[in-house]
Amino acid sequence: MKPILYTGNIVERGTVQSDGAAAGKPVTRVADGDIGLPWVDTTATGQRNVWVDSGSGLQQTADAWLIAKGHNLVGVPCQIQTAPTPTGPWTTRSAFTPSSAEAFRVSMPAITERLWYFVILSPNQIPTFTEWVLSKSLTLPSGPQEPSLVTGPMGNIQSYDSPAGYTWTRKKGAPRWEGTYLIRDLTLAQRGDLEAAFSATDEGVRPFFLEDADGILRWVYWLTDGGKLAFQAEGITRWRVTLQFREGL
Amino acid sequence: MKTLTAQASRASGQRWAELIYLLELKLWRDKYGPAPTSLTLYLSDRPRVEIGQEWLPLVIDWGSPGDALNPSNPEVTVGSFDVTLTNAYPIGGRARFSDLIRHGLNNDPATTYDILFAEATLRLLFRGGVAGDDLLLFRFLVEEARNVTADSLTLRMTGVELALEHGEDCYRVSTENFPLCDPDAVNQPVPIPFGRLTHQKTLGATSGLVDILTIDMTATSPGTGGTLPLSDHAVVDRLPPSGMVQIDEEQVWYGAKNATALTLNSITRGYNGTTATDHSAGTTVFQVLSEYLYLVGENRGNHRIQSIPAVRSDGMLLAPSSYTVDLGNTTLVSGRNFAVLRFPVKPIISKQVTYQVQDTITVVDTTTVTDSTGVLDNVGVADSIGVSDGIGVGDNIGVGVDPTVTERTEHTTTQLPYSVRWSTGQFTYTGSHYQTTSNLTINWSSVTGTPIENWLTVGFKLTACDASGNDIDWGTYQRAQIYAGGKYFAEGSNTLYLGANYYTSYGFALTLANAGNWAPGGYRLRCTQGDQQYRRSQSVSKSGGAYKSGGVGKTGSAGKTGTVYKTGTVTKTGQSTKSGSVQLVGNSSADTVLGEITADVNGLKDDASGTISGTANTFLEVPHDILKCLLREIWQEKDPALYDAASWTATRQAQVTATYRWALMAVPISFAEFRRAAGFQGRAELYQEGGRWVYKWRAVTPALVSFTERNLADEVVVDWSPRTELVTELDIGYDEAGARAGQWQQSLTLRSDLTQYRYRYGLQRTRRDLKGRTLELPWVRDTAMATRLGIYWLGQWERERLRPRIRGFWDVIGLDKTDTITLNIPLLTAYGAMQFTVRRKTYELDEGLLMLECEETDPPPQEHELLAAYRIPLAFSRSMAALARIIMQPDRAMTASLYTRLAHELTLPVAFFMGWARNPSQLAKYQMHRTAVDGAMTAGHYGITIAWSPTKAALVRVRMVLVSTLSALIVVTPGLAVSFQTSGLYRILGTQPRTVPGTYRFAAVRTPTLTGLYEFIPRKILTATYYIRPIWDTAGVLWDTAGLTWDA
């Protein structure tokens, strides 16, 4: 499968608001890049909304929306609506009802608008989730070529050998995934798209969703050398690049 | 060691683990202000939801928090912790952590806080644990934020002692509250008294101003309206414009003052019913007030000073009626509760010695004195004595004239009666009458002397005569009259006063008033009496003998000058005896003294709930009680959850058993200083462990963890305690003087038995290796306690100790400071079984390891060679002439011996041998009968009889070998009785318990694991034999001489 990058999160770039937020669980958490910290609403009654405003006169484009794992929206109908002004009118752009607490991605036609709304139509418990991504997806032109490498799970552990040779091992955190994809035969336009996607993460600083070659959504960081992508020429007007990602916790 | 829950215990016992650290940070804004606000942050190294709380992933580097007890003394190294946080993460409504720190214009009341003294707690949780499974490792206070960048910052934290170090709350006397306070009391802290204190200084809160008189005064000068010169401008300036002062016993009113001239003006002497008297320059002048107040101490919380049994001025006891004790005054200073002495008059004392000599001595002197000395006296006597002569003179000399007697002189010219006849022709007319021309003259002999008074007495008869001269009747003839000296005399006797004149002749004339009818023959005058009666004065010469009788009084002084020489020999032989008594009674001259007011104080007692001691109103004198009270009331650590109750309870029990008591006036000192002093004097350490206050009695305890090479992260590194830390001679100063800080009222010196110790390279120590140290025990008043403490600390310092450093894993995560461990590693095999106490503990959080620094403890008890301390107080009957305590102490050689006089009664299943008496001068005469009757080396009952030395100076130690299990059994011989205040191990009275007349005390058994201190102290001498099983005391408490009484 061709890996898909979901960088340039609109939610990170606008002002996020919600109908409510529990104490200590602000709505800014839905775009803080940390899939460990959830936003928590204040009530499960009625329709609940989380929205991002790009600002007056500004519009952003997205063709997919994603919710990180750990949400509690299983069986709850959700919609993406847009509006040109805070007072409407509102247009429903996409709808989805999650079937598991895992991360999910919903594609839709590319839309450019100022205000984006994540609408939870009738929650069955107080809504909570950690990350909301509205992104313009980039599907790599091909699947990983040899010698691409996937490492995972990669443990975060520390081991000691006592003087008597006994091993004491300490788990310091959750395991992670690491993938090294060699993408070849990139046209100049495809190279430009990849560069734009890289820049949309502030040159690798911001985490983003990657749908890996196995079709699994992963929350990853770029693993780049010095914050740069290195394209090697491959014949005339063709390029190849090695992309390295590490799962973020 | 911390108690782990089942989950934590199971997790820590595995060689794999997931450790989770949780940092709770509470930021305060205006924490001590009227409206404090706070923000609690829950931080960890990744987003977590643990123990019911979400933890934010701000921690970048956990660092290595740790703290320590100094290896061989109770000083504490306060915990410290540097944790690095990300500064790029939004938190608390701000873009980054550093934005929360209030500083400069960043002062939004809703989102900025004070970083200093932010409260932090660090917890550890094994993965899967829930609330309650977490271990609280530390409580910290943030000192500062350091190395702040846009990405990160480091919070430097210190143990909670940081806030206590100078956080004591103590009132200091101020002139604001007490304008008339004693200048020496200004800014002095009002102490909090504990224990039984004597001669403690009080603070003159309202004691009046005091100055010095600069002139000599008499009773009249300076007089009313005059001035009274003083010496101190500050005093004169502070005195009211008019008022009353007192000099000696005289009160003086002044109507004005001059602070420049230092005078009190317009004075009235002898005011208020007092008497104006003389006063010398330099005499104290003090202000007279309606009441004088002296602060004794401060009550804290609900703890009140128990009593003030005595008050002194300049060391002299004052009559209780002269003052009022107010043990709980809350009105003098708002929010304070003082114990106050109130005097209605200035508490001056008049020092006067009353003496009287009553000599009832009877001297019986049977000596014989033979004096052959000659006295040469060339002393000149100057006699200025006046003589008063009251002698009457008896005079038998005849005196010619008595001037006081009226004398009589008869005429000498004519014998009476005398008759003269005048014829009529002999009368001549004088113009008024006819008078004879010649007088009748009477002559008297002249007399000597000077007349004083004289009376002339003459007697007359007049007749008419015929021509023949015969008397005829007057008929019609003119009657004649007698005239002399200008007056007429009547016929008959006449007396004429002549004054101071004496006449040798006096003439009388005969007159006729109208000689119309003359008698024919004339007239006849007959004089029948003519004498002078007179008094006179004249010189008298006395001759003959006179005599004096009566007494002579002599007054005045006589001086004697010159030299008296005595030569020769005096010999006194025989005996004299003197018996009776001499008593001195009477009064010396009075001396008025304005002395320092001191008081005996029985300090604070527990409140009605027994918050400190567990028993309501307990007098607080056990170190535990005092320490806890101060921690709660001065340093405000009041939450019971802040205390490790088990350690406090156990330490109190140990201190009560060891009869440890303090007496001190608590005044502000730094917390570190206080903790150090408390540690030395209470033989217990106060420290933070797991976020709670632990108070731990220093004693050998069973090892809790054994380290082998299996559960060590690294090789063990071992050092020895430095040679320079060794102490072999300990000078102990104790019982600090009440009025003189740092002055000791008692002291003693202890020395090590150098023969027992060698340097680690084999050389035996000598006297030259003596190294002294001073141990200050200001709150210890009791010699026995000071001795015990000294012996304990000397025992800690007199030999070198191993100090291993080890790193362990999470299986020992619950180890606390002062826990005992063993190291079963080849490196130490050569030294035999040893135990170590954890003194420093550092969590290497990022590594998941625990670093420990340890100190070698005293040797642990051995099962088959019980080298421990024994305390066996024994009471013996008169016949055995002994009352003793025997302290059995390990690792000492013995040179004394014991014997039993009643060996036949005893079963000695083990071998006893006596040990060394600590002080060579106290070596003495103990012998022990070394008889193992049954020869079996088994446990049994021990009877020890001691013959005591006449000097009673004894200290012996018994080393007891082979006791496997210990229990106590006391056998009292029939007819006698013993009772015990406590139950427990000693309740069994052997096979023949009896009735109970005495009072005896047993310490409770602390644990069944061969730790503890037990003693049996008979309070009364009974004719009994006590069989006492020794109980060992690993704490090494030695005996003391206090309480020893002699069987009278």
Side-chain angles (χ1 to χ4, degrees), chain A residues 29 37 160 163 167 170-171, chain B residues 15 17 54 89 712 846-847:
Chain A
R29 286 182 168 192
L37 298 175
Y160 304 88
T167 299
R170 174 183 166 220
K171 182 174 180 178
Chain B
R15 284 192 284 124
E54 182 184 66
Y89 192 92
L712 286 169
D846 288 329
E847 304 297 321

Side-chain angles (χ1 to χ4, degrees), chain A residues 24-25 28-29 32 34-38 158 160-174 249, chain B residues 15-19 21 46-47 54 56-57 89 709-712 714-715 809-811 845-849:
Chain A
K25 309 290 193 297
T28 51
R29 286 182 168 192
D32 64 354
D34 195 326
I35 58 170
L37 298 175
Q158 193 167 14
Y160 304 88
D161 281 343
S162 74
Y166 284 75
T167 299
W168 295 67
T169 306
R170 174 183 166 220
K171 182 174 180 178
K172 300 174 71 174
L249 298 176
Chain B
R15 284 192 284 124
W16 55 90
E18 183 171 351
L19 303 174
Y21 306 122
R46 56 176 284 195
E54 182 184 66
L56 304 179
Y89 192 92
E709 292 192 324
R710 174 184 171 281
N711 63 340
L712 286 169
D714 291 315
E715 295 285 355
F809 296 109
W810 44 86
D811 60 326
L845 297 181
D846 288 329
E847 304 297 321
L849 302 178

Side-chain angles (χ1 to χ4, degrees), chain B residues 652-718:
Chain B
R652 185 177 196 278
Q653 180 60 50
Q655 290 174 334
V656 168
T657 301
T659 63
Y660 277 16
R661 296 187 186 90
W662 285 348
L664 70 149
M665 287 292 227
V667 293
I669 60 175
S670 77
F671 183 76
E673 275 184 80
F674 174 79
R675 176 157 61 178
R676 181 178 186 278
F680 277 121
Q681 297 179 85
R683 205 189 126 173
E685 292 167 308
L686 175 67
Y687 56 92
Q688 278 276 308
E689 186 66 72
R692 295 187 300 175
W693 289 110
V694 175
Y695 190 45
K696 191 78 174 290
W697 176 256
R698 285 179 65 111
V700 175
T701 55
L704 299 172
V705 172
S706 179
F707 283 90
T708 68
E709 292 192 324
R710 174 184 171 281
N711 63 340
L712 286 169
D714 291 315
E715 295 285 355
V716 174
V717 180
V718 175

Side-chain angles (χ1 to χ4, degrees), chain B residues 350-430:
Chain B
S350 180
K351 283 191 170 178
Q352 187 173 25
V353 178
T354 300
Y355 55 82
Q356 179 181 10
V357 177
Q358 292 180 341
D359 189 348
T360 59
I361 297 174
T362 303
V363 177
V364 179
D365 190 349
T366 60
T367 59
T368 303
V369 178
T370 304
D371 188 350
S372 61
T373 58
V375 177
L376 294 177
D377 188 351
N378 59 359
V379 178
V381 177
D383 189 348
S384 60
I385 299 173
V387 177
S388 169
D389 189 347
I391 301 172
V393 177
D395 187 349
N396 55 4
I397 300 172
V399 179
V401 177
D402 183 350
T404 65
V405 176
T406 302
E407 299 171 79
R408 178 176 177 180
T409 304
E410 294 186 349
H411 59 89
T412 58
T413 305
T414 306
Q415 292 295 318
L416 297 178
Y418 179 73
S419 166
V420 179
R421 188 174 63 87
W422 287 279
S423 64
T424 56
Q426 291 178 290
F427 287 85
T428 59
Y429 187 67
T430 62

Side-chain angles (χ1 to χ4, degrees), chain A residues 16-70:
Chain A
V16 186
Q17 300 173 72
S18 65
D19 288 337
K25 309 290 193 297
V27 72
T28 51
R29 286 182 168 192
V30 302
D32 64 354
D34 195 326
I35 58 170
L37 298 175
W39 158 79
V40 179
D41 205 345
T42 55
T43 179
T45 303
Q47 175 180 313
R48 308 299 294 171
N49 303 302
V50 179
W51 67 95
V52 58
D53 184 353
S54 300
S56 178
L58 295 175
Q59 294 180 324
Q60 305 273 3
T61 301
D63 62 5
W65 57 282
L66 303 93
I67 297 293
K69 67 179 180 181

